[in-house]
């Protein structure tokens, strides 16, 4: 089961519906329910403000207004600096609104670098890091993907992981998450 905002969804339900793509995006970002990151209180990010920004970004994404979602994330650089998952979403939005490919790949590579050095979870065990590396077309991306797929996971998680990563194609993935 995939848990999003306290509700559980089977992977087939998540993948099978347009609104499910948004839930899948939330699952992948993994942080939309909370903008607080342990150990980073010194950044004094206002939780209510961050929650409002996240809600607005979600709303724009659901309406497929990616330019406005990007503008909202750009206006909240503190949110992106607090959590690389928001930076990952930022990179996806930038590419979706036709950022030059080289800049989009550099954005994803930055996410991989930050997640690799600042996360308690190794990149090979972090879905967002693996996908960011695939989006960056990094030298280790295929090896990381295979390692990630070999890790123990529940049947539902494994189904989602394989659905997302088997035969991974950048453009298809981007348009699946941000249609």
């Amino acid at each position: 089961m995939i848990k999003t905002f306290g509700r559980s969804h089977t992977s087939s339900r998540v993948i099978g519906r347009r609104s499910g793509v948004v839930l899948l995006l939330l699952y992948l970002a993994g942080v939309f329910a909370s903008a607080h990151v342990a150990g980073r209180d010194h950044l004094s990010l206002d939780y209510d403000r961050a929650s409002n920004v996240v809600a607005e970004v979600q709303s724009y994404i659901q309406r497929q207004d990616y330019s406005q979602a990007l503008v909202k994330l750009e206006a909240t650089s503190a949110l992106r600096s607090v959590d690389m998952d928001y930076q990952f979403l930022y990179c996806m939005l930038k590419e979706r609104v036709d950022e030059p490919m080289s800049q989009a790949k550099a954005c994803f590579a930055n996410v991989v670098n930050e997640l690799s050095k600042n996360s308690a979870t190794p990149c090979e065990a972090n879905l967002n890091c693996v996908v960011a590396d695939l989006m960056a077309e990094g030298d280790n991306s295929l090896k990381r993907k295979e390692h990630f797929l070999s890790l123990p996971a529940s049947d539902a998680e494994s189904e989602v992981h394989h659905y997302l990563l088997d035969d991974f194609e950048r453009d298809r993935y981007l348009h699946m998450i941000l249609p």
Side-chain angles (χ1 to χ4, degrees):
M1 296 275 169
I2 298 170
K3 294 192 178 200
T4 309
F5 296 109
R7 289 175 279 182
S8 297
H9 306 274
T10 61
S11 59
S12 60
R13 286 188 194 145
V14 172
I15 295 168
R17 299 184 185 137
R18 179 181 204 99
S19 62
V21 172
V22 174
L23 291 174
L24 181 58
L25 174 63
L26 298 177
Y27 166 72
L28 294 175
V31 293
F32 272 70
S34 171
H36 172 76
V37 177
R40 298 212 178 169
D41 292 329
H42 64 279
L43 294 175
S44 63
L45 179 64
D46 179 355
Y47 178 80
D48 290 332
R49 182 174 169 273
S51 294
N52 290 337
V53 168
V54 169
E56 287 181 61
V57 169
Q58 285 177 276
S59 177
Y60 288 129
I61 289 171
Q62 288 175 343
R63 293 190 310 251
Q64 296 183 357
D65 189 349
Y66 306 124
S67 294
Q68 285 301 316
L70 181 61
V71 166
K72 186 53 80 173
L73 274 180
E74 284 175 337
T76 57
S77 61
L79 186 61
R80 293 192 331 268
S81 68
V82 168
D83 196 307
M84 276 295 106
D85 293 323
Y86 289 110
Q87 184 67 26
F88 176 70
L89 177 60
Y90 176 74
C91 297
M92 291 182 69
L93 287 167
K94 286 181 76 143
E95 183 164 344
R96 190 65 174 88
V97 297
D98 298 324
E99 179 84 13
M101 183 69 71
S102 61
Q103 291 178 17
K105 286 181 180 179
C107 185
F108 288 113
N110 180 57
V111 170
V112 172
N113 289 336
E114 290 297 319
L115 286 173
S116 294
K117 70 180 181 182
N118 294 327
S119 177
T121 305
C123 185
E124 293 78 12
N126 178 328
L127 180 59
N128 283 347
C129 192
V130 170
V131 171
D133 202 14
L134 290 166
M135 294 297 285
E137 296 181 345
D139 294 338
N140 296 319
S141 61
L142 295 178
K143 189 185 306 183
R144 281 187 170 136
K145 176 183 93 166
E146 293 306 316
H147 177 77
F148 181 81
L149 290 173
S150 73
L151 295 173
S154 71
D155 289 344
E157 288 172 329
S158 182
E159 182 181 343
V160 170
H161 296 165
H162 282 278
Y163 177 82
L164 294 173
L165 299 175
D166 286 345
D167 303 318
F168 185 89
E169 293 176 24
R170 295 181 84 262
D171 195 52
R172 182 179 59 110
Y173 179 81
L174 182 66
H175 286 88
M176 176 181 61
I177 300 300
L178 300 174

